[in-house]
Amino acid sequence: MKAIRLDSYNRAPVIGDIATPDIGPDDVLVRVSAAALNPLDIKLQSGVLHEYFPLEFGYTAGTDLSGTIEEVGANVTNWRRGDKVIARLDPVAGGAFAEFACVPAHYLVKVPDGMAFELAAGIPTAAGTAWQALFEMGNLDVGQTVLIHAGAGGVGSFAIQFARAAGARVIATASGDGIDIVRILGADQVIDYRHTDFAETLADIDLVIDTIGGETQQKSFGVLRRGGKLLSLVAPPDEVLANAHNIDAQFVFHMSDTDRLARVVSALHENNVRILIDQTVPFDAFAQAFARQSSGRARGKIIVTMA
Ligand SMILES: NC(=O)c1ccc[n+]([C@@H]2O[C@H](COP(=O)([O-])OP(=O)(O)OC[C@H]3O[C@@H](n4cnc5c(N)ncnc54)[C@H](OP(=O)(O)O)[C@@H]3O)[C@@H](O)[C@H]2O)c1
């Protein structure tokens, strides 16, 4: 089968021809229809995360997939050949950017009726992280105000919509055509971060979702109310600053959780959440998709189709 392979850190991914994976008794074999890129794939390839996610080469890239079950392991009783599924694979195992993937059955969530595979593949990491940050760690409540940095990105585009659906007031940062996009997604206030310093205009925020780090994170302490929360997806927050501002600041480490993924998929459906797609490219154009994800400029998810 065709698969996107990494042969070492920091070398461009290549299309390889490898054996279709064997499945164990608790696994299913999924014929992959679509898989989504995440910044994580770029960081895994660069080796910057090797301490947390040590890869064994050759490694088949990709964590987020959608497709159809082709074969079920002997112990799997609740899934059948032909079921349409979504899953997030363990980053160390990888395997989503391939024609077939071996998926532990307990990772699987059903694709909602009528949802295209290309959209379903965009859900797991980005929407799961947004949910984990807003509700499991941020305890976002009705009437609170949340500042979401990079509102037009993969995580931000879901976070804006989930936060609005939960009754929060949403402020998002964006630039260029991202400004209209985040407005359409439901942001109550948009800050064009290239022209306006959010730290000069905002105050008394309850929760900040930091998707940028560095100066953006440092300035974010100053816009929170005392006792507010800063959750960073990119760098452990500065403890000294957190204490000085009386902020509960934490790093978000997204962990796959099938119950959460199922909740997220239901919430998407119930709240008409839009899965924002930056571009969908065929498997053979993977290099283009990888370059776009590496640029840091994506509006929503970048999807690779396998067919
Ligand atoms: N810790 C975890 O478990 C975890 C989980 C998921 C994601 N993450 C991390 O979270 C970050 C965001 O993920 P993502 O999937 O949302 O990334 P993404 O989709 O690549 O984000 C792209 C967006 O970021 C915007 N952007 C770039 N610089 C900005 C700035 N200074 N201010 C505001 N917006 C800016 C871009 O808009 P412009 O083109 O207008 O600049 C673009 O729309 C990544 O670093 C990712 O690795 C961590």
Side-chain angles (χ1 to χ4, degrees):
M1 66 171 190
K2 286 193 299 183
I4 301 295
R5 303 284 281 173
L6 296 181
D7 294 324
S8 76
Y9 290 122
N10 232 343
R11 216 180 281 159
V14 291
I15 297 180
D17 217 333
I18 59 168
T20 302
D22 291 325
I23 61 165
D26 299 314
D27 302 327
V28 304
L29 185 70
V30 174
R31 179 186 289 276
V32 180
S33 290
L37 273 158
N38 289 287
L40 176 62
D41 298 301
I42 312 301
K43 294 177 183 177
L44 289 173
Q45 179 263 359
S46 74
V48 54
L49 297 179
H50 75 274
E51 276 179 44
Y52 311 98
F53 300 112
L55 304 188
E56 272 182 32
F57 301 107
Y59 167 84
T60 298
T63 55
D64 293 11
L65 65 79
S66 62
T68 307
I69 294 180
E70 188 78 11
E71 191 187 328
V72 295
N75 296 342
V76 178
T77 54
N78 50 344
W79 295 98
R80 281 191 303 196
R81 186 166 192 272
D83 285 347
K84 296 178 175 180
V85 293
I86 310 172
R88 181 179 193 261
L89 306 179
D90 177 345
V92 173
F97 291 113
E99 288 178 273
F100 294 93
C102 169
V103 184
H106 69 275
Y107 286 8
L108 298 169
V109 169
K110 185 178 172 294
V111 176
D113 292 341
M115 183 184 282
F117 283 125
E118 288 85 346
L119 294 176
I123 298 171
T125 299
T129 303
W131 189 275
Q132 183 181 343
L134 290 172
F135 304 122
E136 295 172 16
M137 298 178 71
N139 300 318
L140 184 67
D141 215 343
V142 180
Q144 288 192 322
T145 300
V146 58
L147 168 62
I148 297 168
H149 288 294
V155 176
S157 57
F158 284 113
I160 288 171
Q161 298 177 85
F162 287 150
R164 269 297 298 260
R169 179 166 179 272
V170 177
I171 306 170
T173 60
S175 81
D177 63 342
I179 292 170
D180 277 345
I181 290 172
V182 300
R183 256 192 212 116
I184 290 165
L185 294 178
D188 297 285
Q189 183 180 345
V190 186
I191 295 183
D192 178 349
Y193 76 89
R194 291 186 197 271
H195 296 107
T196 305
D197 183 351
F198 70 91
E200 302 277 310
T201 54
L202 301 178
D204 289 329
I205 306 286
D206 296 291
L207 173 65
V208 173
I209 305 295
D210 167 33
T211 52
I212 306 296
E215 194 189 3
T216 299
Q217 184 188 106
Q218 295 219 334
K219 285 182 170 179
S220 292
F221 284 104
V223 305
L224 282 154
R225 67 168 167 82
R226 290 181 77 75
K229 276 195 180 171
L230 185 149
L231 297 175
S232 180
L233 310 188
V234 278
D238 184 322
E239 275 182 39
V240 176
L241 272 178
N243 290 336
H245 286 87
N246 193 13
I247 300 302
D248 174 5
Q250 297 175 46
F251 179 65
V252 178
F253 187 86
H254 178 63
M255 303 286 282
S256 296
D257 177 325
T258 310
D259 289 341
R260 179 199 301 125
L261 181 55
R263 257 199 310 282
V264 164
V265 170
S266 299
L268 286 164
H269 188 62
E270 283 157 21
N271 298 298
N272 279 326
V273 168
R274 179 170 159 208
I275 301 166
L276 181 67
I277 302 295
D278 180 85
Q279 55 184 263
T280 301
V281 306
F283 191 74
D284 291 345
F286 184 83
Q288 174 194 322
F290 195 81
R292 175 66 174 161
Q293 187 68 76
S294 304
S295 76
R297 303 272 83 91
R299 272 74 174 104
K301 301 304 301 170
I302 298 168
I303 307 294
V304 178
T305 53
M306 298 299 152

